[in-house]
Amino acid sequence: LLRAKITANDAAAKVTVRTISTAIETYATVNNGKYPMSESALVDGNVPYLSKYYGNKVIYGYRYLLDLDYNSYRVVAKPESCGTTGTKVIAAETNGVMQEKECK
């Protein structure tokens, strides 16, 4: 049962990182290639690109960290407890490049 929950958490984190990255890339497309400086621009702006905040929140055992700048970004999802709430560190960077590695 624990293995199934961990697998589900890993999958949810991957989808969530992709969703956040897509929102950031869409924002940049609309704003002449400039990425948002804050998560609030994605949630509270004239056009909401995300329906809620993720930064520094724990969702399904993963903590989400967003590093945003006009020229680049990095979104990282890390398990709160490696091996118990998740097994991978999942990241997306500028231009939507996704990476994942085993957590330690």
Side-chain angles (χ1 to χ4, degrees):
L1 186 61
L2 180 60
R3 172 58 47 203
K5 184 173 181 167
I6 291 170
T7 300
N9 288 354
D10 288 346
K14 188 172 183 177
V15 168
T16 301
V17 168
R18 172 66 67 200
T19 297
I20 297 167
S21 175
T22 299
I24 293 168
E25 290 293 337
T26 303
Y27 177 98
T29 299
V30 171
N31 291 281
N32 300 315
K34 298 292 182 191
Y35 294 110
M37 288 293 293
S38 69
E39 190 176 11
S40 65
L42 299 170
V43 178
D44 300 326
N46 292 336
V47 176
Y49 297 92
L50 291 173
S51 61
K52 64 181 180 178
Y53 285 89
Y54 293 92
N56 206 30
K57 296 205 177 189
V58 177
I59 303 168
Y60 297 115
Y62 272 80
R63 180 171 300 276
Y64 292 85
L65 307 167
L66 283 70
D67 181 16
L68 303 171
D69 183 89
Y70 280 132
N71 299 310
S72 64
Y73 69 91
R74 183 168 170 80
V75 177
V76 179
K78 294 181 179 182
E80 275 290 279
S81 177
C82 184
T84 303
T85 63
T87 62
K88 300 181 185 310
V89 174
I90 302 162
E93 296 182 349
T94 308
N95 296 320
V97 177
M98 294 280 294
Q99 303 168 10
E100 59 181 78
K101 63 182 179 180
E102 296 296 318
C103 64
K104 295 179 184 180

PDB file of all heavy atoms in Angstrom, residues 31-55:
ATOM      1  N   ASN A  31       3.964  37.693 -22.741  1.00  0.00           N
ATOM      2  CA  ASN A  31       4.677  38.869 -22.248  1.00  0.00           C
ATOM      3  C   ASN A  31       6.041  39.068 -22.904  1.00  0.00           C
ATOM      4  O   ASN A  31       7.039  39.349 -22.222  1.00  0.00           O
ATOM      5  CB  ASN A  31       4.811  38.791 -20.719  1.00  0.00           C
ATOM      6  CG  ASN A  31       3.468  38.972 -20.044  1.00  0.00           C
ATOM      7  OD1 ASN A  31       2.992  40.083 -19.917  1.00  0.00           O
ATOM      8  ND2 ASN A  31       2.840  37.870 -19.650  1.00  0.00           N
ATOM      9  N   ASN A  32       6.094  38.908 -24.198  1.00  0.00           N
ATOM     10  CA  ASN A  32       7.300  39.194 -24.993  1.00  0.00           C
ATOM     11  C   ASN A  32       8.540  38.467 -24.514  1.00  0.00           C
ATOM     12  O   ASN A  32       9.638  39.020 -24.494  1.00  0.00           O
ATOM     13  CB  ASN A  32       7.558  40.701 -25.035  1.00  0.00           C
ATOM     14  CG  ASN A  32       6.411  41.453 -25.658  1.00  0.00           C
ATOM     15  OD1 ASN A  32       5.884  41.038 -26.691  1.00  0.00           O
ATOM     16  ND2 ASN A  32       6.001  42.538 -25.033  1.00  0.00           N
ATOM     17  N   GLY A  33       8.392  37.220 -24.097  1.00  0.00           N
ATOM     18  CA  GLY A  33       9.529  36.402 -23.709  1.00  0.00           C
ATOM     19  C   GLY A  33      10.014  36.610 -22.289  1.00  0.00           C
ATOM     20  O   GLY A  33      10.996  35.989 -21.878  1.00  0.00           O
ATOM     21  N   LYS A  34       9.366  37.451 -21.525  1.00  0.00           N
ATOM     22  CA  LYS A  34       9.757  37.711 -20.132  1.00  0.00           C
ATOM     23  C   LYS A  34       8.992  36.777 -19.211  1.00  0.00           C
ATOM     24  O   LYS A  34       7.771  36.694 -19.267  1.00  0.00           O
ATOM     25  CB  LYS A  34       9.481  39.168 -19.733  1.00  0.00           C
ATOM     26  CG  LYS A  34      10.259  40.168 -20.542  1.00  0.00           C
ATOM     27  CD  LYS A  34      11.728  40.068 -20.228  1.00  0.00           C
ATOM     28  CE  LYS A  34      12.516  41.102 -21.004  1.00  0.00           C
ATOM     29  NZ  LYS A  34      13.932  40.874 -20.928  1.00  0.00           N
ATOM     30  N   TYR A  35       9.716  36.090 -18.356  1.00  0.00           N
ATOM     31  CA  TYR A  35       9.099  35.204 -17.383  1.00  0.00           C
ATOM     32  C   TYR A  35       8.584  36.013 -16.192  1.00  0.00           C
ATOM     33  O   TYR A  35       9.046  37.127 -15.953  1.00  0.00           O
ATOM     34  CB  TYR A  35      10.109  34.150 -16.912  1.00  0.00           C
ATOM     35  CG  TYR A  35      10.515  33.196 -18.004  1.00  0.00           C
ATOM     36  CD1 TYR A  35      11.795  33.222 -18.546  1.00  0.00           C
ATOM     37  CD2 TYR A  35       9.611  32.274 -18.512  1.00  0.00           C
ATOM     38  CE1 TYR A  35      12.159  32.356 -19.556  1.00  0.00           C
ATOM     39  CE2 TYR A  35       9.959  31.405 -19.523  1.00  0.00           C
ATOM     40  CZ  TYR A  35      11.242  31.440 -20.049  1.00  0.00           C
ATOM     41  OH  TYR A  35      11.595  30.586 -21.053  1.00  0.00           O
ATOM     42  N   PRO A  36       7.629  35.464 -15.443  1.00  0.00           N
ATOM     43  CA  PRO A  36       7.108  36.198 -14.295  1.00  0.00           C
ATOM     44  C   PRO A  36       8.155  36.306 -13.187  1.00  0.00           C
ATOM     45  O   PRO A  36       8.952  35.407 -12.993  1.00  0.00           O
ATOM     46  CB  PRO A  36       5.913  35.356 -13.840  1.00  0.00           C
ATOM     47  CG  PRO A  36       6.233  33.975 -14.304  1.00  0.00           C
ATOM     48  CD  PRO A  36       6.992  34.145 -15.580  1.00  0.00           C
ATOM     49  N   MET A  37       8.092  37.404 -12.458  1.00  0.00           N
ATOM     50  CA  MET A  37       9.018  37.606 -11.339  1.00  0.00           C
ATOM     51  C   MET A  37       8.492  36.988 -10.052  1.00  0.00           C
ATOM     52  O   MET A  37       9.236  36.803  -9.105  1.00  0.00           O
ATOM     53  CB  MET A  37       9.259  39.100 -11.113  1.00  0.00           C
ATOM     54  CG  MET A  37      10.104  39.740 -12.193  1.00  0.00           C
ATOM     55  SD  MET A  37      11.799  39.136 -12.201  1.00  0.00           S
ATOM     56  CE  MET A  37      12.404  39.776 -10.664  1.00  0.00           C
ATOM     57  N   SER A  38       7.197  36.686 -10.033  1.00  0.00           N
ATOM     58  CA  SER A  38       6.608  36.120  -8.820  1.00  0.00           C
ATOM     59  C   SER A  38       5.475  35.167  -9.191  1.00  0.00           C
ATOM     60  O   SER A  38       4.885  35.268 -10.269  1.00  0.00           O
ATOM     61  CB  SER A  38       6.071  37.217  -7.909  1.00  0.00           C
ATOM     62  OG  SER A  38       4.942  37.819  -8.510  1.00  0.00           O
ATOM     63  N   GLU A  39       5.172  34.287  -8.286  1.00  0.00           N
ATOM     64  CA  GLU A  39       4.080  33.354  -8.492  1.00  0.00           C
ATOM     65  C   GLU A  39       2.740  34.090  -8.529  1.00  0.00           C
ATOM     66  O   GLU A  39       1.811  33.659  -9.214  1.00  0.00           O
ATOM     67  CB  GLU A  39       4.086  32.308  -7.376  1.00  0.00           C
ATOM     68  CG  GLU A  39       3.161  31.162  -7.626  1.00  0.00           C
ATOM     69  CD  GLU A  39       3.259  30.082  -6.563  1.00  0.00           C
ATOM     70  OE1 GLU A  39       3.899  30.300  -5.511  1.00  0.00           O
ATOM     71  OE2 GLU A  39       2.668  29.023  -6.788  1.00  0.00           O
ATOM     72  N   SER A  40       2.643  35.208  -7.841  1.00  0.00           N
ATOM     73  CA  SER A  40       1.384  35.960  -7.839  1.00  0.00           C
ATOM     74  C   SER A  40       1.013  36.444  -9.236  1.00  0.00           C
ATOM     75  O   SER A  40      -0.168  36.558  -9.556  1.00  0.00           O
ATOM     76  CB  SER A  40       1.441  37.126  -6.856  1.00  0.00           C
ATOM     77  OG  SER A  40       2.395  38.072  -7.262  1.00  0.00           O
ATOM     78  N   ALA A  41       1.995  36.699 -10.097  1.00  0.00           N
ATOM     79  CA  ALA A  41       1.705  37.084 -11.478  1.00  0.00           C
ATOM     80  C   ALA A  41       1.004  35.953 -12.225  1.00  0.00           C
ATOM     81  O   ALA A  41       0.231  36.198 -13.155  1.00  0.00           O
ATOM     82  CB  ALA A  41       2.994  37.469 -12.200  1.00  0.00           C
ATOM     83  N   LEU A  42       1.248  34.725 -11.813  1.00  0.00           N
ATOM     84  CA  LEU A  42       0.613  33.568 -12.451  1.00  0.00           C
ATOM     85  C   LEU A  42      -0.777  33.273 -11.890  1.00  0.00           C
ATOM     86  O   LEU A  42      -1.625  32.726 -12.583  1.00  0.00           O
ATOM     87  CB  LEU A  42       1.486  32.322 -12.271  1.00  0.00           C
ATOM     88  CG  LEU A  42       2.872  32.381 -12.883  1.00  0.00           C
ATOM     89  CD1 LEU A  42       3.702  31.200 -12.413  1.00  0.00           C
ATOM     90  CD2 LEU A  42       2.778  32.416 -14.398  1.00  0.00           C
ATOM     91  N   VAL A  43      -0.990  33.626 -10.629  1.00  0.00           N
ATOM     92  CA  VAL A  43      -2.249  33.298  -9.956  1.00  0.00           C
ATOM     93  C   VAL A  43      -3.205  34.490  -9.916  1.00  0.00           C
ATOM     94  O   VAL A  43      -4.398  34.340 -10.184  1.00  0.00           O
ATOM     95  CB  VAL A  43      -1.983  32.793  -8.520  1.00  0.00           C
ATOM     96  CG1 VAL A  43      -3.288  32.485  -7.796  1.00  0.00           C
ATOM     97  CG2 VAL A  43      -1.085  31.566  -8.530  1.00  0.00           C
ATOM     98  N   ASP A  44      -2.689  35.671  -9.587  1.00  0.00           N
ATOM     99  CA  ASP A  44      -3.534  36.832  -9.346  1.00  0.00           C
ATOM    100  C   ASP A  44      -3.523  37.865 -10.465  1.00  0.00           C
ATOM    101  O   ASP A  44      -4.144  38.919 -10.326  1.00  0.00           O
ATOM    102  CB  ASP A  44      -3.094  37.537  -8.044  1.00  0.00           C
ATOM    103  CG  ASP A  44      -3.207  36.625  -6.840  1.00  0.00           C
ATOM    104  OD1 ASP A  44      -4.121  35.788  -6.811  1.00  0.00           O
ATOM    105  OD2 ASP A  44      -2.359  36.742  -5.930  1.00  0.00           O
ATOM    106  N   GLY A  45      -2.833  37.594 -11.554  1.00  0.00           N
ATOM    107  CA  GLY A  45      -2.758  38.560 -12.644  1.00  0.00           C
ATOM    108  C   GLY A  45      -4.071  38.695 -13.392  1.00  0.00           C
ATOM    109  O   GLY A  45      -5.062  38.031 -13.087  1.00  0.00           O
ATOM    110  N   ASN A  46      -4.098  39.566 -14.386  1.00  0.00           N
ATOM    111  CA  ASN A  46      -5.300  39.753 -15.207  1.00  0.00           C
ATOM    112  C   ASN A  46      -5.760  38.447 -15.842  1.00  0.00           C
ATOM    113  O   ASN A  46      -6.952  38.207 -15.993  1.00  0.00           O
ATOM    114  CB  ASN A  46      -5.043  40.793 -16.297  1.00  0.00           C
ATOM    115  CG  ASN A  46      -4.870  42.177 -15.719  1.00  0.00           C
ATOM    116  OD1 ASN A  46      -5.354  42.469 -14.624  1.00  0.00           O
ATOM    117  ND2 ASN A  46      -4.176  43.030 -16.439  1.00  0.00           N
ATOM    118  N   VAL A  47      -4.791  37.638 -16.220  1.00  0.00           N
ATOM    119  CA  VAL A  47      -5.086  36.314 -16.762  1.00  0.00           C
ATOM    120  C   VAL A  47      -4.480  35.294 -15.796  1.00  0.00           C
ATOM    121  O   VAL A  47      -3.265  35.243 -15.640  1.00  0.00           O
ATOM    122  CB  VAL A  47      -4.451  36.121 -18.165  1.00  0.00           C
ATOM    123  CG1 VAL A  47      -4.687  34.716 -18.675  1.00  0.00           C
ATOM    124  CG2 VAL A  47      -4.987  37.153 -19.133  1.00  0.00           C
ATOM    125  N   PRO A  48      -5.296  34.486 -15.126  1.00  0.00           N
ATOM    126  CA  PRO A  48      -4.726  33.490 -14.209  1.00  0.00           C
ATOM    127  C   PRO A  48      -4.167  32.288 -14.982  1.00  0.00           C
ATOM    128  O   PRO A  48      -4.896  31.597 -15.675  1.00  0.00           O
ATOM    129  CB  PRO A  48      -5.903  33.093 -13.326  1.00  0.00           C
ATOM    130  CG  PRO A  48      -7.111  33.399 -14.143  1.00  0.00           C
ATOM    131  CD  PRO A  48      -6.747  34.524 -15.060  1.00  0.00           C
ATOM    132  N   TYR A  49      -2.880  32.085 -14.870  1.00  0.00           N
ATOM    133  CA  TYR A  49      -2.226  30.957 -15.527  1.00  0.00           C
ATOM    134  C   TYR A  49      -2.231  29.724 -14.627  1.00  0.00           C
ATOM    135  O   TYR A  49      -2.103  28.605 -15.115  1.00  0.00           O
ATOM    136  CB  TYR A  49      -0.794  31.331 -15.907  1.00  0.00           C
ATOM    137  CG  TYR A  49      -0.741  32.457 -16.913  1.00  0.00           C
ATOM    138  CD1 TYR A  49      -0.642  33.781 -16.490  1.00  0.00           C
ATOM    139  CD2 TYR A  49      -0.838  32.209 -18.271  1.00  0.00           C
ATOM    140  CE1 TYR A  49      -0.619  34.820 -17.407  1.00  0.00           C
ATOM    141  CE2 TYR A  49      -0.819  33.243 -19.195  1.00  0.00           C
ATOM    142  CZ  TYR A  49      -0.709  34.546 -18.753  1.00  0.00           C
ATOM    143  OH  TYR A  49      -0.700  35.573 -19.663  1.00  0.00           O
ATOM    144  N   LEU A  50      -2.332  29.948 -13.321  1.00  0.00           N
ATOM    145  CA  LEU A  50      -2.463  28.872 -12.340  1.00  0.00           C
ATOM    146  C   LEU A  50      -3.674  29.171 -11.461  1.00  0.00           C
ATOM    147  O   LEU A  50      -3.975  30.333 -11.187  1.00  0.00           O
ATOM    148  CB  LEU A  50      -1.223  28.775 -11.448  1.00  0.00           C
ATOM    149  CG  LEU A  50       0.070  28.302 -12.093  1.00  0.00           C
ATOM    150  CD1 LEU A  50       1.223  28.434 -11.101  1.00  0.00           C
ATOM    151  CD2 LEU A  50      -0.063  26.856 -12.548  1.00  0.00           C
ATOM    152  N   SER A  51      -4.318  28.119 -10.986  1.00  0.00           N
ATOM    153  CA  SER A  51      -5.517  28.309 -10.155  1.00  0.00           C
ATOM    154  C   SER A  51      -5.193  28.446  -8.670  1.00  0.00           C
ATOM    155  O   SER A  51      -6.057  28.847  -7.892  1.00  0.00           O
ATOM    156  CB  SER A  51      -6.487  27.149 -10.367  1.00  0.00           C
ATOM    157  OG  SER A  51      -5.881  25.932  -9.983  1.00  0.00           O
ATOM    158  N   LYS A  52      -3.954  28.107  -8.278  1.00  0.00           N
ATOM    159  CA  LYS A  52      -3.579  28.220  -6.874  1.00  0.00           C
ATOM    160  C   LYS A  52      -2.072  28.369  -6.753  1.00  0.00           C
ATOM    161  O   LYS A  52      -1.333  28.166  -7.716  1.00  0.00           O
ATOM    162  CB  LYS A  52      -4.050  27.001  -6.081  1.00  0.00           C
ATOM    163  CG  LYS A  52      -3.406  25.693  -6.506  1.00  0.00           C
ATOM    164  CD  LYS A  52      -3.959  24.539  -5.689  1.00  0.00           C
ATOM    165  CE  LYS A  52      -3.336  23.227  -6.084  1.00  0.00           C
ATOM    166  NZ  LYS A  52      -3.835  22.124  -5.282  1.00  0.00           N
ATOM    167  N   TYR A  53      -1.635  28.696  -5.536  1.00  0.00           N
ATOM    168  CA  TYR A  53      -0.208  28.829  -5.239  1.00  0.00           C
ATOM    169  C   TYR A  53       0.394  27.465  -4.913  1.00  0.00           C
ATOM    170  O   TYR A  53      -0.236  26.642  -4.256  1.00  0.00           O
ATOM    171  CB  TYR A  53       0.000  29.764  -4.041  1.00  0.00           C
ATOM    172  CG  TYR A  53      -0.193  31.214  -4.382  1.00  0.00           C
ATOM    173  CD1 TYR A  53      -1.453  31.803  -4.284  1.00  0.00           C
ATOM    174  CD2 TYR A  53       0.875  31.988  -4.801  1.00  0.00           C
ATOM    175  CE1 TYR A  53      -1.633  33.142  -4.601  1.00  0.00           C
ATOM    176  CE2 TYR A  53       0.695  33.327  -5.117  1.00  0.00           C
ATOM    177  CZ  TYR A  53      -0.556  33.895  -5.015  1.00  0.00           C
ATOM    178  OH  TYR A  53      -0.729  35.217  -5.334  1.00  0.00           O
ATOM    179  N   TYR A  54       1.633  27.257  -5.372  1.00  0.00           N
ATOM    180  CA  TYR A  54       2.368  26.024  -5.096  1.00  0.00           C
ATOM    181  C   TYR A  54       3.653  26.277  -4.322  1.00  0.00           C
ATOM    182  O   TYR A  54       4.135  25.403  -3.619  1.00  0.00           O
ATOM    183  CB  TYR A  54       2.725  25.307  -6.410  1.00  0.00           C
ATOM    184  CG  TYR A  54       1.540  24.786  -7.156  1.00  0.00           C
ATOM    185  CD1 TYR A  54       0.910  25.543  -8.134  1.00  0.00           C
ATOM    186  CD2 TYR A  54       1.033  23.517  -6.880  1.00  0.00           C
ATOM    187  CE1 TYR A  54      -0.186  25.054  -8.819  1.00  0.00           C
ATOM    188  CE2 TYR A  54      -0.058  23.021  -7.561  1.00  0.00           C
ATOM    189  CZ  TYR A  54      -0.664  23.802  -8.532  1.00  0.00           C
ATOM    190  OH  TYR A  54      -1.765  23.309  -9.199  1.00  0.00           O
ATOM    191  N   GLY A  55       4.240  27.455  -4.478  1.00  0.00           N
ATOM    192  CA  GLY A  55       5.543  27.760  -3.907  1.00  0.00           C
ATOM    193  C   GLY A  55       5.636  27.522  -2.413  1.00  0.00           C
ATOM    194  O   GLY A  55       4.822  28.033  -1.647  1.00  0.00           O
TER     195      GLY A  55
END
